[in-house]
Amino acid sequence: MTQPDSPPFRVLFPHDLIVRRARELARAVAEAMGSEPPLLVAVIEGARPFARLLQQHLPTPLPVHEVRASSYAGTASTGAVKILLGADLPVRGRDVLLLEDIVDTGRTIDALKRHFLAGGARSCRVASLLSKPSRRVVPVDVDFLGFEIPDEFVIGFGMDLDGRFRELRDVVVYDPAVERAHAAAASAR
Ligand code: IMP
C-alpha cells in the first residue's frame, strides 16, 4: 500500500515483495562472502532503506558505510559523476560491496567502482534493488540484483524525485498527470 495521502501512483513493487527479495539477496551475498566480510557501502540517499534491509538479513552483523555521488537533476542524468562523500573510505585490501537503489545509465556505479579499485580495494561488487538495462550507457555488472525494470521513472522505498517521495513504502511509477489530478482533487475538497 502506498501512503493514503500520496497520489495513487501505479505500484511496481509492494513493500512485502521488496522485503522478501532483499532477504534472498542477503542470502546470496552471504553465500558469496569469503572468510573476510565485505565492506558494505550504501550509495545514499536512495539506497538507505535497501541497505538497511540487506544488512538486517546478513548472518554477520556488519556496519554500512555511506558514499554520496551526484549526477542527477530532476528525472535526467547529467553525465558527470561527482563523489561528494565517502571518497576516502578505507577500502585498501577490502572486498567492497556497493549497495545501490537503482542502476540506470551505469555511470554512478562505474565511477564508484573505478574509484574504490584505484584506492586499493581487492574487489568491488554491486548489489542493487533495481536495474534499468535498457538505459545503460556504461556497461556495469550488477552482481546481486533485485529486479529489472523497463525505462520508467520510479520513486519510493528511498528513491526520490527532487527530494520528494522517498518515504513511500512501495516502489511506484512517477506520473506527473497522476500527481496533478491528485492535487486538483485535494484543492477541490
Ligand atoms: P546512473 O548513474 O544513471 O546509473 O544513476 C544512478 C542513480 O540515479 C541512482 O542512484 C538514483 O539515485 C538515480 N536514478 C536513476 N533512475 C532513477 C529512477 O527511476 N528514480 C529515482 N532515481 C533514479
Side-chain angles (χ1 to χ4, degrees), residues 12-188:
L12 211 49
F13 300 109
H15 190 82
D16 293 358
L17 181 57
I18 298 169
V19 173
R20 277 208 300 279
R21 189 69 186 125
R23 200 178 300 144
E24 290 171 0
L25 293 182
R27 214 172 293 139
V29 167
E31 275 169 20
M33 259 162 46
S35 50
E36 283 176 51
L39 189 80
L40 303 181
V41 180
V43 186
I44 62 166
E45 306 273 325
R48 266 199 187 121
F50 173 60
R52 203 171 305 127
L53 262 187
L54 207 89
Q55 178 192 35
Q56 276 169 8
H57 290 110
L58 285 175
T60 327
L62 293 176
V64 174
H65 303 272
E66 295 186 337
V67 68
R68 188 192 294 273
S70 88
S71 72
Y72 254 68
T75 58
S77 175
T78 54
V81 175
K82 271 191 258 159
I83 303 179
L84 306 172
L85 175 92
D88 55 352
L89 283 172
V91 297
R92 183 159 297 280
R94 298 295 306 271
D95 295 309
V96 174
L97 180 64
L98 290 172
L99 306 176
E100 179 59 301
D101 49 359
I102 182 164
V103 181
D104 183 33
T105 64
R107 286 189 179 113
T108 304
I109 284 298
D110 182 63
L112 291 172
K113 277 182 92 157
R114 283 173 193 279
H115 177 80
F116 289 133
L117 288 172
R122 183 164 56 185
S123 68
C124 186
R125 290 199 277 188
V126 179
S128 183
L129 178 62
L130 303 177
S131 173
K132 289 191 226 176
S134 65
R135 293 255 312 156
R136 218 56 110 244
V137 172
V138 184
V140 287
D141 289 331
V142 181
D143 304 275
F144 305 96
L145 175 63
F147 307 99
E148 273 188 10
I149 63 167
D151 182 7
E152 294 186 297
F153 197 84
V154 292
I155 47 174
F157 200 71
M159 288 170 285
D160 73 312
L161 172 63
D162 292 336
R164 299 184 302 143
F165 304 118
R166 283 192 203 283
E167 71 290 356
L168 299 181
R169 285 168 55 76
D170 306 324
V171 171
V172 303
V173 178
Y174 178 71
D175 182 342
V178 170
E179 188 178 20
R180 275 196 302 274
H182 182 73
S187 64

